[in-house]
Amino acid sequence: MRKWWKLWVLLLMVVVAGLGLGRIRFNTDILSILPNEMPEVAGLKSYYQVFSLDEELVVLIEGGEEDAGSLGSAAEELAGKLMEAEVAANARWKPRWMDRPEGMAELLGWLWLNGEPEDAARLVESLSEPEIEGTMAEAMERVATSLDGGEMMISAHDPMGFLGHPSMAAVFASAEEGGEGFESADGTAHLFFVDAPGSIEGYKEADAWIAEVKAIAEPWAEERGLTLSWTGEPAFQAEIGSAMERDMTKTIGVTSTLIALLFLVMQRRLGLLVGMTGVIGLVFLTAMGLAGWYYGELSIMSAGFAAILIGLAVDYGVLICQEAKLAGHDEGAIRQATTKSIGWAAATTAAVFFALNLSGLPGIAQLGTIVSFGVVAGAVLMLNFYVPWVAWRGAGRPSISDKASWVPKRGRALMIALAMAVLAVGVLGVKGVPGVEFDRGLLRPRNSAAMAAFEGIQTHFPAWQSPSLKLVIEGDSDAEVEERVVEAGRRLEILKEERPELIQGIDLPSGWWPTPDRVSANRELMERLVGERDRVLAAADEIGFSEEGVALGKSVLERLPAVLAMNPSAVPDDVAAAEILRGFVSKNEQGGTLLGTVELRSPDDLSPEDFSSLRKFSADGIHLASWTLLKPAVLPLVKKDLLNVFLPMAGLMVVMLTLVFRNVRDVLLALVMMLLSGGLLLAAMRLTGIGWNFLNIAATPLLLGTGLDYTIHILLAVRRTGGDLRAVWNGTGKAVLFCGSSTAIGFGSLAFASNDALASLGMVAVLGILISMMVSILILPGIRGGRSEGVAGERT
């Protein structure tokens, strides 16, 4: 009764832990796996949090040459269908100011009122009575003689010069590729923006909404022979989140099936498999629940922990089954034979995974902690639930056979070890050690439809592939933002002086931030301009500009009184103005964020000195944001992690071996074998073309832990049997063979993950585990023992 009481308490604890499943959310932001304190990460997060629209779907409409110029009308028709079906709050196929020119007029009036006083004075002076005739004549001459189509159009529709505000240069740059930024230069592609009808809380909601939109849009496009591609934040969110969920379910299914087949071949009892499956389910429930309580939010890296956990937990069950053959299926004898071994194995593996918290990468640290939870839960639940199950369901099985050993004796084992060492040294000597790499593509799902669509947009709209760095300036108050704009300008001047060959162009967004001091300085000038509206319009008419040509200037002059009545700290709220403003400024009640650009001459070929100068620039609310900067930022971190994670693990490994063996010879032999395994792994990685990256570095402590476990099991078996290789092979050797195979299967399933970084972790782990298993079974017993047969003896 006492024993069952303990089991019920343990089961209750599992249920409580499992309640944490309800708290789990998948974080689809790939930046969440990188450290927040890294300036490059902070810059990208600030940019995406403020200027990336979580509820806007970007659609690329493509047609053939026969569709050139007509896609805008088609997009308008699609917008009507989506709005009618109430699957979109809004749909845009052209700039809003084309339907609401008063919004553009309000924005221009606000820019001049909020601009530098010398710029405002120059505009007003050019439209003053003594100067206006010359200003209009110059505009008319540009219309007649300009070879630049854009300049001619501006002069024809803006003879007064309102579009000449310095801040408008960035607007023109973003739309210079034809069609005001919505239609490609050749007319065969058109952009279409769809706003969700409500807030999107997660990837499932995003996926469901996109499915509703596609259900209407794709049949429509098929009827017209058009192609639709989908991208934007909701598309990426749905794609990454769904891929993570798919990876977890797929790896669990594949891993469980393969390990079950392997287990049946070795144990030949369906009842034992059923019991193990049930216990693994409890282990998974516990680990996931604890992750929910502890983290709540799982990163993209943690999607692969399920396969890792299943592979490791099964090891304990197999050891229990193997020892049950020796113990005659007596529960007490099984528990006595397995508790110490499984306890040491669990403590070692949990320790090495928990040591991943030493990593500078939060995603790796989270992965290590979750697997540590699972390993400890696996040991506790296997010992308390699976041991009595094996004693019950495994009764009557034959004891371990006395078949011949496959393990080489000492002489041959030494020759094999020497040959392997020579091979590893030769490969590494010729090809070198595996390099450290960082590719942005590792972070996104394979065959990403959203990324393919984005790349298609970049092809049709070159402005979307600008290599410029984003200059993000944020502050908690208006005054703080203004101060940081000035500070950003100062830092940029220093950067240009220190590295003149680095910077090609700068757009400091000072004119987009509402500044009461500038508004106050320009108010009198703008009021004077409003008072002279009739004179200015008459002069334009007299020189020969049509009503269409003066429409913009007339609208600006009409909207200026409303602009002058605005709060000096506010920005225009007209939807057409807001469409343009959102690309440069985000204002809240306290402060806000500004967005500018810094163009580099060679952004993909930064020297260490260039990167160092750019990194020093980002601090105190001023950031340079670009995926280009992540590569030189992450690579040193990965290299540092190799030391920060590996060295403590190596020290822990020595401590664990000393505690277990208390024998210098065995400790040294174990270290040599693990060093050989490490060399063979590096050689195998070099031959297969696998390099280290920010995720597969997590395999390092795992391989140390599993290699340590295998070494401990084999050496203890050799000592327990007096060096009888036949007994070692038929007992612990076969168990280690299954453990290595099952763990390799667990990691091997990650090779098919949708994320390349996760797949690389699986491939490195499979190579390392199989190599460690091979060395532990084929080399270690022969060198330490050497006899092909014998009876169990005392420890030597």
Side-chain angles (χ1 to χ4, degrees), residues 636-780:
L637 189 62
V638 174
K639 294 177 180 178
K640 183 180 178 182
D641 267 11
L642 284 172
L643 295 177
N644 288 352
V645 174
F646 179 79
L647 290 181
M649 287 303 93
L652 177 63
M653 180 175 62
V654 174
V655 171
M656 298 294 286
L657 290 172
T658 303
L659 289 174
V660 174
F661 298 127
R662 302 181 184 181
N663 179 309
V664 175
R665 179 182 60 177
D666 286 347
V667 170
L668 291 177
L669 180 58
L671 291 175
V672 170
M673 292 297 101
M674 296 188 71
L675 183 62
L676 174 61
S677 297
L680 288 170
L681 171 61
L682 294 176
M685 290 176 64
R686 202 68 181 88
L687 289 173
T688 54
I690 301 173
W692 293 109
N693 59 53
F694 61 93
L695 181 51
N696 65 24
I697 187 179
T700 304
L702 165 74
L703 299 177
L704 283 174
T706 54
L708 185 61
D709 285 350
Y710 299 160
T711 300
I712 290 173
H713 291 315
I714 292 294
L715 282 178
L716 286 180
V718 171
R719 292 167 63 165
R720 187 172 60 249
T721 62
D724 184 350
L725 299 186
R726 179 177 296 175
V728 171
W729 165 248
N730 285 301
T732 305
K734 288 184 177 179
V736 170
L737 176 64
F738 179 90
C739 291
S741 301
S742 62
T743 305
I745 288 173
F747 278 100
S749 64
L750 293 182
F752 303 100
S754 60
N755 180 277
D756 281 332
L758 205 56
S760 72
L761 168 63
M763 290 186 286
V764 171
V766 167
L767 286 173
I769 288 167
L770 292 179
I771 289 171
S772 295
M773 179 188 72
M774 179 181 64
V775 169
S776 297
I777 294 175
L778 297 181
I779 298 176
L780 181 57

Side-chain angles (χ1 to χ4, degrees), residues 95-312:
R96 284 198 174 103
W97 61 262
M98 295 181 71
D99 290 327
R100 289 186 54 81
E102 63 270 24
M104 172 63 84
E106 182 176 312
L107 175 64
L108 288 171
W110 177 80
L111 283 173
W112 284 106
L113 177 63
N114 189 64
E116 295 293 341
E118 53 269 28
D119 293 331
R122 190 161 47 248
L123 172 71
V124 174
E125 178 63 23
S126 70
L127 298 178
S128 66
E129 190 168 359
E131 301 292 335
I132 192 168
E133 184 176 347
T135 300
M136 296 297 168
E138 288 177 8
M140 183 64 75
E141 184 178 358
R142 285 195 299 272
V143 173
T145 62
S146 177
L147 297 178
D148 186 319
E151 182 183 5
M152 182 183 69
M153 288 295 294
I154 290 175
S155 298
H157 291 81
D158 182 36
M160 302 169 199
F162 288 114
L163 290 173
H165 190 282
S167 294
M168 288 300 295
V171 178
F172 295 139
S174 65
E176 65 183 1
E177 297 299 329
E180 301 297 336
F182 279 72
E183 186 173 276
S184 64
D186 62 2
T188 61
H190 202 90
L191 289 180
F192 184 65
F193 299 87
V194 186
D195 296 333
S199 62
I200 297 177
E201 302 298 333
Y203 74 92
K204 290 185 177 180
E205 291 80 3
D207 195 37
W209 173 57
I210 293 173
E212 291 179 352
V213 175
K214 286 184 176 180
I216 296 171
E218 290 185 338
W220 170 88
E222 187 176 352
E223 289 178 4
R224 288 155 183 77
L226 303 177
T227 302
L228 302 181
S229 303
W230 312 82
T231 188
E233 192 63 26
F236 280 109
Q237 187 179 6
E239 190 174 73
I240 294 173
S242 299
M244 289 172 66
E245 183 177 312
R246 204 161 46 245
D247 283 347
M248 293 195 74
T249 55
K250 182 175 67 176
T251 54
I252 291 172
V254 172
T255 301
S256 300
T257 301
L258 292 177
I259 291 178
L261 292 174
L262 186 62
F263 183 88
L264 283 175
V265 169
M266 184 173 183
Q267 301 299 328
R268 302 178 187 276
R269 283 292 180 93
L270 183 61
L272 295 180
L273 176 61
V274 171
M276 178 176 285
T277 302
V279 175
I280 288 178
L282 293 177
V283 171
F284 189 69
L285 177 68
T286 304
M288 282 287 285
L290 290 173
W293 287 118
Y294 192 72
Y295 286 111
E297 195 170 74
L298 300 186
S299 72
I300 191 171
M301 282 188 177
S302 300
F305 93 95
I308 302 173
L309 188 57
I310 291 173
L312 293 173

Side-chain angles (χ1 to χ4, degrees), residues 414-487:
L414 286 170
M415 290 179 61
I416 294 173
L418 181 60
M420 287 182 171
V422 170
L423 175 64
V425 172
V427 170
L428 296 177
V430 173
K431 291 183 170 289
V433 298
V436 179
E437 58 188 26
F438 177 85
D439 182 357
R440 180 185 174 186
L442 292 170
L443 295 167
R444 60 178 181 252
R446 294 172 176 171
N447 305 316
S448 169
M451 180 53 66
F454 182 72
E455 290 171 349
I457 292 175
Q458 290 180 316
T459 300
H460 289 290
F461 301 86
W464 281 61
Q465 57 182 327
S466 170
S468 300
L469 309 183
K470 303 299 182 183
L471 173 60
V472 183
I473 303 172
E474 55 188 359
D476 295 328
S477 66
D478 290 350
E480 190 171 56
V481 174
E482 292 174 29
E483 291 171 3
R484 288 177 174 173
V485 169
V486 175
E487 174 62 18

